[in-house]
Amino acid sequence: MFKSFFNNLFEKKLFKEITLELHMIDGSVVITDPIKYKKFKELINRRVNGEEMRIANENDYKEAYEDLQYKIKTPCDADFFSVSIRGKTQEISSKNIVKIIQHKKG
């Protein structure tokens, strides 16, 4: 019991939350809903379990985060982005995106 408590206490998070600004070819900027690290882990767990029928580990989270960072820098390398905007999931073609940056409040 104490071991799992300390593991959770000292767990290294790759990020707290990420909100993206999608700069579209029509000049508009679309801001996505924030994704918290807990939700990110849940999505990766589902993907890994579905593809490989195993539980995701820290390396899976790190690899997925690095892939996300790569696609933020080079959106043309992805076909579609599945993002949540105002509580609804939307598929956005990378052909309609000029650039993506992480949104900073303030």
Side-chain angles (χ1 to χ4, degrees):
M1 182 174 163
F2 284 109
K3 187 175 182 180
S4 65
F5 170 77
F6 282 112
N7 285 346
N8 290 336
L9 184 66
F10 296 111
E11 178 185 16
K12 293 181 183 174
K13 293 183 178 180
L14 295 168
F15 60 89
K16 188 173 180 179
E17 70 177 30
I18 294 177
T19 304
L20 301 177
E21 285 182 11
L22 307 174
H23 293 251
M24 311 302 282
I25 58 172
D26 64 2
S28 63
V29 176
V30 178
I31 298 178
T32 66
D33 296 346
I35 182 167
K36 297 199 181 291
Y37 187 62
K38 183 178 179 181
K39 181 67 174 176
F40 171 79
K41 281 179 62 174
E42 182 184 310
L43 293 170
I44 301 308
N45 277 332
R46 268 196 250 155
R47 189 186 79 201
V48 169
N49 193 305
E51 290 176 359
E52 302 177 26
M53 294 180 63
R54 65 176 176 85
I55 296 171
N57 58 38
E58 290 300 317
N59 287 337
D60 294 316
Y61 304 137
K62 189 174 180 184
E63 189 177 301
Y65 179 71
E66 288 170 356
D67 186 51
L68 174 66
Q69 292 299 316
Y70 173 76
K71 286 181 177 162
I72 288 171
K73 291 179 185 145
T74 55
C76 59
D77 286 351
D79 294 330
F80 288 91
F81 290 91
S82 181
V83 295
S84 182
I85 301 168
R86 289 183 219 100
K88 294 184 180 176
T89 301
Q90 298 181 28
E91 293 278 330
I92 297 176
S93 171
S94 61
K95 293 176 183 171
N96 296 329
I97 300 173
V98 176
K99 68 177 177 178
I100 302 173
I101 59 173
Q102 289 190 35
H103 180 71
K104 305 259 193 286
K105 290 181 182 177

